[in-house]
Amino acid sequence: MPRIKTRVGIVGAGPAGLLLAHLLHLEGIDSVVIESRSRQYIETRLRAGLLEQGSADVMIETGVGERLQRECLRHGGVYIKFRGELKHIDFQDLVGQSVMIYAQQEVVKDLVAARLGYNEPLMFEVGNVAVDGHATGTPSISFTADGKDQAIDCDFIAGCDGFHGICRPSIPAGDIKMFDREYPFAWLGILADAKPTEEELVYAHHERGFALLTMRSPTVTRAYLQVARDEDINQWSDERIWEELALRTAGEGNPLSVGKITQKGITDMRSFACEPMQYGRLFLAGDAAHIVPPTGAKGMNLAIADVRILARALIAYYKSGRTDLLEAYSRTCLKRVWKVQRFSWWVTQLLHRNDQDNDFDLRRQIADIDYLTGSRAGRMTWAENYVGLPMEWD
Ligand code: RFL
Ligand code: PHB
C-alpha cells in the first residue's frame, strides 16, 4: 500500500482544513489534505456568508485575500427589526470595525487555488477514511483514492472534517465530553436574483417567527425564515416564501425587494461542543469540535480562530521544540468557543419564536430587544461579539 510521509495530516478541506494547510505552508511545514467530496462540490456548497474583520484580515495578511478585498461587501453595521421598527447597530461608531459579506465557497475557492498554486498535496474524493495511532504517538490516516488503499504517516492529525466527520468519533467515549442543544425550529434559506432590501443585513423579530435578510452581491439576496424543525420544503412555493418574508419584515425601511428564487434548502439549528478538542496527537478544529446556530454568523469564523491557534502551536513546536502551546490548544480554543456559544444561543433565543412560550415571554423578548437596540451598552454588546471578540492566545 502506498504510504505518504508528512508532518501534519489534515482530514477535510473546508475553511478549517484549507486555512490550516495554508498557514503551515507559509512557515515551511508540509501537510497533506484529504477531502471526501469533489473539488466542484466544496467550491459550490452554499453556506456561510459573513466574515468577522479578524477572519478577513488573516486571509489578507497571508496573501489569499486579494479577491476578497476586491469583491467583498464591507458592512459597518446591521439592522434589527421588531414591532415594525427598524433599528441600526453601528459597528463603526461603537467598536470601529466592520464585517464582510463574502461567501464561504469563495473563501474555499481562494484557499484551494492557493494550495494547488504552490503544488502542495490536496486530494479530493477519497473514501473509507480512518485515523489511527494518535494515542500512541505514531499517527496515521488510511483511505482509498481512485479505488486504491493509501495511508498517510504523520506527526499530528488535524481533524477538520466537520460535524459528521470521522475524527471526533475516533476519540474513546470516556475521554471526551459532549455538550449539546437542539432547537425546536430550523431555517429555510433562499438565494434570489433580487437587489438587497437594505444595504446592510436585517435581523427581524416577529410573532410569526424570525426572518433574516442578507445578501451575496448588489444583485443577489440571501434570506432565511424560521420554520418548524420537521418542515417539508415542498410546502414552500416561491410565492409563499416571499409572502412570509414580507409579513415578517414589514414596517419601517424599504419594501421587501423580490426576484427569482434560484436555490432553497432547510438547515437544522443546534449548539454543540466537545471537550477537550484534542486527544493524543489528534487535534479537532472547526465544526468537527463545535456547532453554533447560524443566527450569530459565527461557525466559519470560529473554525478560522481554531486553526490560527493550532497553526501557531504547531509552528512553535517545529521551530523551537515547544510543546506548551500544543498542550494548551484545547483550553485556549474553548475560552472563545464558549463565548461564541453563549452569543449564538443568546441571539437565537432573543429573536426566534418558541412554541412553548406564552404572551409573557413574547413581551419579555420584545423588551429585551428594545433594551438591546435602545441602549448604547446593549448595542455595544451586540457589536463587540458580532464583529468578533479579540483573539486570546493562551
Ligand atoms: P466544513 O465546512 O463542514 O468542512 C469539513 C470538510 O470535511 C469533509 N469531510 C471529510 N473529508 C475527508 N474524510 C472524511 N471522513 C470527511 N468527512 C467530512 C467535508 O466534505 C467538508 O468539506 O467544516 P469547517 O471547515 O470546520 O468550517 C465550518 C463552516 O463550514 C461552518 O461553521 C459555517 O458554514 C457555519 N455558518 C456560518 N458561519 C459563519 O462564520 N458565518 C455565517 O454567516 C454562517 N452562516 C453557516 C451559515 C452555516 C449554515 N448551514 C448550512 C449549516 C449559514 C448556514 C445556513
Ligand atoms: C449569510 O449571509 O448567509 C448569513 C449572514 C448572517 C447570519 C447567517 C447567515 O447570521
Side-chain angles (χ1 to χ4, degrees):
M1 175 182 11
R3 301 193 78 91
I4 310 166
K5 177 95 192 96
T6 191
R7 282 170 155 176
V8 185
I10 301 177
V11 186
L18 289 167
L19 182 64
L20 177 65
H22 177 62
L23 297 177
L24 295 177
H25 165 79
L26 294 178
E27 296 294 330
I29 299 165
D30 57 274
S31 63
V32 174
V33 185
I34 57 168
E35 164 60 47
S36 54
R37 301 289 194 152
S38 68
R39 177 177 180 185
Q40 206 234 344
Y41 182 88
I42 65 162
E43 289 189 345
T44 50
R45 180 166 46 193
L46 189 56
R47 276 197 161 181
L50 194 128
L51 283 175
E52 294 172 354
Q53 175 128 22
S55 304
D57 288 347
V58 179
M59 300 274 295
I60 295 163
E61 285 159 16
T62 62
V64 283
E66 192 263 328
R67 200 162 64 91
L68 181 149
Q69 273 177 298
R70 213 170 354 109
E71 294 179 10
C72 81
L73 304 175
R74 182 182 292 271
H75 287 185
V78 286
Y79 291 103
I80 313 272
K81 201 162 204 178
F82 73 113
R83 292 189 305 219
E85 298 166 30
L86 189 65
K87 304 287 182 187
H88 192 235
I89 300 187
D90 186 336
F91 306 150
Q92 278 300 327
D93 169 47
L94 292 159
V95 289
Q97 290 188 47
S98 309
V99 293
M100 322 295 146
I101 286 286
Y102 191 66
Q104 177 165 332
Q105 71 267 29
E106 305 305 323
V107 171
V108 165
K109 270 186 216 160
D110 295 341
L111 289 168
V112 167
R115 177 114 188 131
L116 298 178
Y118 45 65
N119 230 349
E120 292 268 341
L122 167 54
M123 304 167 79
F124 294 104
E125 297 181 73
V126 304
N128 302 325
V129 180
V131 295
D132 195 18
H134 41 285
T136 60
T138 52
S140 66
I141 307 170
S142 57
F143 59 99
T144 54
D146 296 325
K148 295 192 197 81
D149 290 335
Q150 292 205 24
I152 298 170
D153 295 312
C154 46
D155 302 335
F156 299 99
I157 298 172
C160 303
D161 50 348
F163 185 63
H164 299 289
I166 54 94
C167 288
R168 191 182 63 253
S170 73
I171 299 177
D175 290 299
I176 188 165
K177 188 163 164 49
M178 321 273 188
F179 303 83
D180 206 354
R181 161 167 301 212
E182 285 187 1
Y183 296 86
F185 37 76
W187 275 16
L188 187 161
I190 60 153
L191 200 63
D193 294 331
K195 180 177 166 296
T197 298
E198 307 287 346
E199 66 296 357
E200 290 171 351
L201 274 57
V202 181
Y203 285 82
H205 172 274
H206 194 278
E207 296 181 20
R208 298 176 65 88
F210 170 73
L212 170 61
L213 302 178
T214 168
M215 64 196 71
R216 286 294 176 271
S217 77
T219 54
V220 176
T221 286
R222 175 106 169 112
Y224 300 97
L225 278 174
Q226 175 186 355
V227 292
R229 201 180 158 73
D230 52 1
E231 194 76 36
D232 175 7
I233 189 114
N234 296 315
Q235 301 301 312
W236 287 85
S237 64
D238 294 4
E239 202 179 37
R240 181 174 173 208
I241 292 172
W242 286 123
E243 263 172 30
E244 194 63 31
L245 279 169
L247 276 173
R248 295 189 193 180
T249 61
E252 287 175 6
N254 297 327
L256 180 70
S257 162
V258 300
K260 185 176 168 347
I261 295 180
T262 52
Q263 279 197 52
K264 52 182 158 182
I266 291 190
T267 313
D268 282 348
M269 313 268 285
R270 75 174 337 138
S271 301
F272 170 87
C274 71
E275 291 184 8
M277 289 168 56
Q278 177 208 354
Y279 178 72
R281 288 177 165 250
L282 169 65
F283 292 82
L284 302 176
D287 279 12
H290 38 69
I291 292 284
V292 286
T295 329
K298 288 285 169 238
M300 173 167 58
N301 292 297
L302 204 48
I304 290 174
D306 286 353
V307 297
R308 289 176 73 187
I309 294 166
L310 183 54
R312 189 177 87 126
L314 288 166
I315 293 163
Y317 173 81
Y318 284 112
K319 298 279 167 190
S320 46
R322 282 176 64 177
T323 55
D324 57 324
L325 295 181
L326 283 171
E327 282 153 18
Y329 170 72
S330 186
R331 185 164 29 91
T332 309
C333 288
L334 283 166
K335 278 199 261 175
R336 186 182 191 86
V337 167
W338 279 109
K339 284 182 194 145
V340 169
Q341 288 287 2
R342 182 206 72 86
F343 177 69
S344 303
W345 165 83
W346 175 65
V347 290
T348 300
Q349 60 81 38
L350 182 72
L351 296 169
H352 287 71
R353 180 201 148 98
N354 190 333
D355 286 339
Q356 261 82 68
D357 285 356
N358 61 18
D359 285 349
F360 173 86
D361 296 296
L362 187 61
R363 294 285 188 283
R364 177 186 50 75
Q365 214 178 22
I366 289 171
D368 236 343
I369 304 169
D370 204 3
Y371 170 74
L372 164 76
T373 53
S375 132
R376 187 171 172 89
R379 292 194 297 277
M380 181 72 92
T381 296
W382 178 295
E384 267 184 353
N385 285 277
Y386 197 83
V387 302
L389 295 170
M391 292 292 289
E392 288 180 76
W393 290 104
D394 2 67

